């Protein structure tokens, strides 16, 4: 994920257990290249070039949502993925559901090591 000539930062993405969209995988990426797949109660961490990035989240077959983040050298930014609350209403109208992202990302304070014990780490 990183260019050896650039400063490196860390990106941690986690997904808490939720009934809504619980049976589908979350795919996370940037520039339409997805590098992480998460299920309920899973997280992943990747080294990435410091700087501004547009991080995307989607389920298979759904449009992606995106979040602009700023990564700083030698620091970790944490993102929480959640089912998009707009999907609840869209499920009643299949055509609309195909235009609404299944997942959204939110930049949050990083979870404690104790909290992460309740999650499974996925490989990239």
């Amino acid at each position: 994920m990183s260019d050896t000539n650039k400063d490196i930062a860390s990106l941690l993405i986690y997904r808490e257990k939720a009934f809504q969209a619980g049976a589908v995988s979350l795919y996370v990426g940037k520039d339409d290249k997805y590098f992480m797949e998460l299920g309920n109660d899973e997280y992943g961490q990747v080294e990435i070039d410091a700087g501004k990035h547009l991080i995307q989240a989607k389920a298979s077959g759904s449009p992606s949502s995106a979040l602009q983040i700023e990564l700083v050298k030698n620091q970790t930014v944490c993102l929480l993925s959640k089912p998009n609350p707009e999907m609840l209403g869209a499920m009643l109208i299949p055509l609309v559901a195909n235009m609404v992202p299944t997942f959204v990302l939110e930049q949050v304070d990083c979870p404690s090591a104790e909290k992460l014990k309740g999650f499974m780490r996925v490989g990239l």
Side-chain angles (χ1 to χ4, degrees), residues 15-124:
R15 177 179 172 187
E16 295 177 329
K17 185 174 185 170
F19 178 76
Q20 181 187 343
V24 296
S25 292
L26 160 73
Y27 297 93
V28 180
K30 69 180 199 110
D31 304 324
D32 291 321
K33 294 179 182 155
Y34 292 86
F35 54 80
M36 188 181 298
E37 180 180 351
L38 295 176
N40 277 334
D41 286 336
E42 292 184 340
Y43 79 98
Q45 191 164 2
V46 63
E47 289 186 340
I48 195 167
D49 299 333
K52 290 185 180 179
H53 296 278
L54 189 65
I55 304 299
Q56 298 162 292
K58 70 178 211 129
S60 181
S62 83
S64 63
S65 64
L67 178 67
Q68 181 81 34
I69 61 170
E70 176 85 27
L71 296 172
V72 178
K73 177 182 175 182
N74 298 328
Q75 291 187 11
T76 300
V77 167
C78 294
L79 303 179
L80 169 63
S81 71
K82 298 193 268 191
N84 186 349
E86 293 179 14
M87 271 303 285
L88 285 174
M91 294 304 289
L92 301 175
I93 308 168
L95 180 61
V96 174
N98 291 333
M99 297 182 287
V100 177
T102 303
F103 293 100
V104 293
L105 296 171
E106 177 183 349
Q107 188 169 342
V108 295
D109 291 334
C110 290
S112 67
E114 187 64 31
K115 180 171 182 166
L116 282 179
K117 286 182 183 178
F119 292 78
M120 180 187 307
R121 184 173 182 155
V122 298
L124 303 180

